[in-house]
């Protein structure tokens, strides 16, 4: 998979990826397709480390009837290479469902189906990844005052392995966010773990759930729990008057176009803030209008029948969570009256979103050689490469955590295919795949070496 140096020196790769979620799976596919079209000596060698034991993407949110909010055409490859063998349509063909999907007349597959597509794609390039390996250190390798490589150490159980990289691609995804002071327990969940934590209720007869949040995940949780537990009350708590519909109109959706990244990157900070204010409602704290209608219809029907299990505590905020034995007390304060209401529930679910992983936490000592802006955020070049000191020759690329520089698609599926192509072009153009100061490995297939 890489160049082997004499003695105890680590393996050298053109690229090491940290994490193997959708972004770095797309990166591995782009590498495979690139290597298939160049001479062996020009191939880009790579390896990825993933701490999960197998591929998984938001498994806790694979609700059986939840659909994607992004077109299937924005898969791992199509916008970069429509003729790729890794498209969602090729996946459907391999599963014998292509005609059925066409007859379905939808751009938005079930989330469980799209996850199966991602697993299918990841399996085709899994010789490039070490699952069950958590990266625990990134160390600079300095020669004559220049950082030539990065040594990446990963741990699996009690064993560690160190590989050397000319370039690093960080794709560690997002971290579930809960408000300060809230601790996740068997009774206090984040929506990302909904399906896995539901097993804890096996055999129980819950009487009340409290779901905090105003976005798509919150509304999906409310609808799912209400359907799954027909005797339980489900209380939705959010600070707005009602759920706000997502703006998925054609013009607004152009904010997710690849060209919009160029425009956002070139814009002033003032314009960047304006664009996020204008178009945050395409993605943040908004809900599909059909789901809003379904929830309202259900709530109205219950009011007519006199059996109200679906409650909406709008213009309210959760001010306290306290576990008491096998129950949890949620204190909800009305923003209008200031009155507190105590809700004793079996579970409180926080659908409060995610935050990006700080790349500097991953980089360790190397972080001191990377530049920050006035707000302490990473300075990132247009090719998604961290701005570093001049003596850092290796490239450090971010797949995520670049919303402040590249716009709203930073952590979304919409631009994955194009982004990995741009990162690969940058690596190749910067000479990582054709270094002249050391012997090159001879590559067979995807990342193997002889």
């Amino acid at each position: 998979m890489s160049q082997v140096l004499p003695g105890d020196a680590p393996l050298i790769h053109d690229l090491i990826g940290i994490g193997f979620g959708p972004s770095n799976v797309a990166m591995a596919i782009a590498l495979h397709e690139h290597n298939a079209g160049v001479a062996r000596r020009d191939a880009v060698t790579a390896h990825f480390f993933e701490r999960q034991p197998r591929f998984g993407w938001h498994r806790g949110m694979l609700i059986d009837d939840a659909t994607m909010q992004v077109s299937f055409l924005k898969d791992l490859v199509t916008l970069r290479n429509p003729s790729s063998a890794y498209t969602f349509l090729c996946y459907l063909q391999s599963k014998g469902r292509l005609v059925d999907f066409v007859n379905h007349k939808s751009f938005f597959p079930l989330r469980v189906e799209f996850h199966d597509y991602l697993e299918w794609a990841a399996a085709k390039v899994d010789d490039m990844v070490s699952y069950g390996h958590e990266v625990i250190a990134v160390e600079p390798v300095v020669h004559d005052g220049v950082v030539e490589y990065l040594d990446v150490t990963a741990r699996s159980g009690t064993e560690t392995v160190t590989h050397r990289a000319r370039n690093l691609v960080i794709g560690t995804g997002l971290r579930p966010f809960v408000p300060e002071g809230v601790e996740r327990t068997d009774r206090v969940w984040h929506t990302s773990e909904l399906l896995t934590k539901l097993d804890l209720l096996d055999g129980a007869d819950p009487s009340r759930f409290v779901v905090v949040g105003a976005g798509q995940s919150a509304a999906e949780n409310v609808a799912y729990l209400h359907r799954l537990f027909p005797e339980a009350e489900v209380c939705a708590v959010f600070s707005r008057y009602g759920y706000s519909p997502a703006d998925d109109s054609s013009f607004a959706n152009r904010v997710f176009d690849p060209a919009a990244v160029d425009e956002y990157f070139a814009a002033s900070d003032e314009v960047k803030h304006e664009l996020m204010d204008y178009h945050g409602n395409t993605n943040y704290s908004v809900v599909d209008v059909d789901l809003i209608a379904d929830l309202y219809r259900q709530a109205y029907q219950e009011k007519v029948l006199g059996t109200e299990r679906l409650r909406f505590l709008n213009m309210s905020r959760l001010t306290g969570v306290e576990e008491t034995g096998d129950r949890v007390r949620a204190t909800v304060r009305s923003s209008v009256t200031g009155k507190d209401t105590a809700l004793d529930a079996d579970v409180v679910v926080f659908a409060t979103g995610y935050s990006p992983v700080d790349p500097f936490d991953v980089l360790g000592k190397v972080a001191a050689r990377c530049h920050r802006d006035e707000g302490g955020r990473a300075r990132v070049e247009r090719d998604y490469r961290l701005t570093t000191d001049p003596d850092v020759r290796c490239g450090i690329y971010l797949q995520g955590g670049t919303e402040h520089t590249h716009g709203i698609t930073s952590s979304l599926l919409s631009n994955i295919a194009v982004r990995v192509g741009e990162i690969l072009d940058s690596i190749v153009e910067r000479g990582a795949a054709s270094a002249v100061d050391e012997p090159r490995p001879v590559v067979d297939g995807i990342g193997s070496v002889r």
Side-chain angles (χ1 to χ4, degrees), residues 109-388:
L110 288 168
R111 195 176 296 157
V112 292
E113 182 176 36
F114 201 80
H115 187 277
D116 192 55
Y117 156 68
L118 295 174
E119 286 188 289
W120 171 86
K124 290 181 174 294
V125 289
D126 64 2
D127 61 341
M128 302 177 78
V129 60
S130 292
Y131 286 110
H133 283 70
E134 181 177 8
V135 171
I136 58 173
V138 176
E139 297 284 342
V141 180
V142 182
H143 294 298
D144 297 327
V146 175
V147 180
E148 296 278 4
Y149 308 105
L150 298 173
D151 276 354
V152 180
T153 301
R155 179 173 55 206
S156 179
T158 59
E159 303 294 326
T160 61
V161 60
T162 298
H163 289 201
R164 185 162 288 178
R166 296 183 179 90
N167 296 277
L168 193 66
V169 178
I170 301 174
T172 47
L174 299 171
R175 179 181 293 123
F177 173 81
V178 294
E180 186 177 354
V182 173
E183 182 179 352
R184 289 155 61 184
T185 69
D186 289 347
R187 296 283 172 182
V188 179
W189 307 346
H190 185 269
T191 186
S192 61
E193 54 194 350
L194 176 73
L195 297 185
T196 54
K197 285 292 185 71
L198 279 175
D199 291 341
L200 298 173
L201 300 179
D202 189 30
D205 187 21
S207 61
R208 179 182 283 157
F209 293 90
V210 175
V211 179
V212 182
Q216 181 72 21
S217 294
E220 287 178 356
N221 277 227
V222 168
Y224 183 67
L225 292 170
H226 184 268
R227 170 164 56 92
L228 192 64
F229 298 98
E231 302 300 322
E233 181 181 272
V234 180
C235 301
V237 178
F238 47 84
S239 58
R240 300 184 178 194
Y241 203 88
Y243 292 122
S244 298
D247 184 355
D248 63 350
S249 60
S250 299
F251 283 112
N253 274 342
R254 294 177 71 175
V255 75
F256 302 109
D257 289 356
V261 177
D262 288 321
E263 294 164 346
Y264 191 92
F265 187 84
S268 66
D269 287 344
E270 181 181 0
V271 172
K272 284 183 170 72
H273 287 304
E274 288 179 352
L275 288 171
M276 290 302 297
D277 288 341
Y278 291 151
H279 297 294
N281 65 342
T282 58
N283 183 65
Y284 297 118
S285 297
V286 289
V287 182
D288 285 347
V289 66
D290 290 344
L291 180 54
I292 295 175
D294 287 343
L295 287 170
Y296 190 89
R297 186 181 304 113
Q298 183 66 52
Y300 183 75
Q301 177 181 320
E302 290 184 356
K303 182 173 286 190
V304 171
L305 299 177
T307 56
E308 296 184 55
R309 294 193 301 114
L310 191 55
R311 294 178 58 190
F312 296 98
L313 286 76
N314 61 351
M315 295 182 291
S316 300
R317 297 183 182 276
L318 193 75
T319 59
V321 178
E322 181 182 1
E323 291 196 52
T324 55
D326 60 353
R327 304 282 284 177
V328 55
R329 171 162 292 186
T331 303
V332 179
R333 178 169 298 166
S334 168
S335 300
V336 177
T337 66
K339 179 181 178 181
D340 286 345
T341 299
L343 298 173
D344 289 324
D346 297 87
V347 172
V348 174
V349 183
F350 282 89
T352 43
Y354 299 81
S355 56
V357 176
D358 190 337
F360 299 117
D361 291 342
V362 177
L363 290 171
K365 295 178 182 178
V366 184
R369 301 173 183 264
C370 301
H371 298 179
R372 301 174 184 257
D373 64 14
E374 294 80 2
R377 302 167 299 186
R379 287 194 180 276
V380 188
E381 304 297 329
R382 175 59 185 85
D383 59 2
Y384 299 95
R385 182 167 46 92
L386 279 176
T387 304
T388 60

Side-chain angles (χ1 to χ4, degrees), residues 22-86:
S23 291
N24 271 348
V25 171
M27 189 80 243
I29 293 170
L31 288 164
H32 176 272
E33 293 181 337
H34 169 84
N35 289 347
V38 300
R40 290 180 178 179
R41 58 184 170 80
D42 295 325
V44 178
T45 59
H47 196 71
F48 298 83
F49 292 110
E50 169 56 52
R51 66 180 179 179
Q52 294 187 102
R54 60 192 176 104
F55 178 84
W57 179 67
H58 296 305
R59 286 186 178 275
M61 277 297 295
L62 297 180
I63 295 172
D64 52 10
D65 63 347
T67 58
M68 299 294 293
Q69 277 75 58
V70 62
S71 166
F72 72 89
L73 293 171
K74 293 183 176 181
D75 57 20
L76 299 176
V77 293
T78 296
L79 294 186
R80 176 181 58 80
N81 178 15
S83 62
S84 171
Y86 296 86

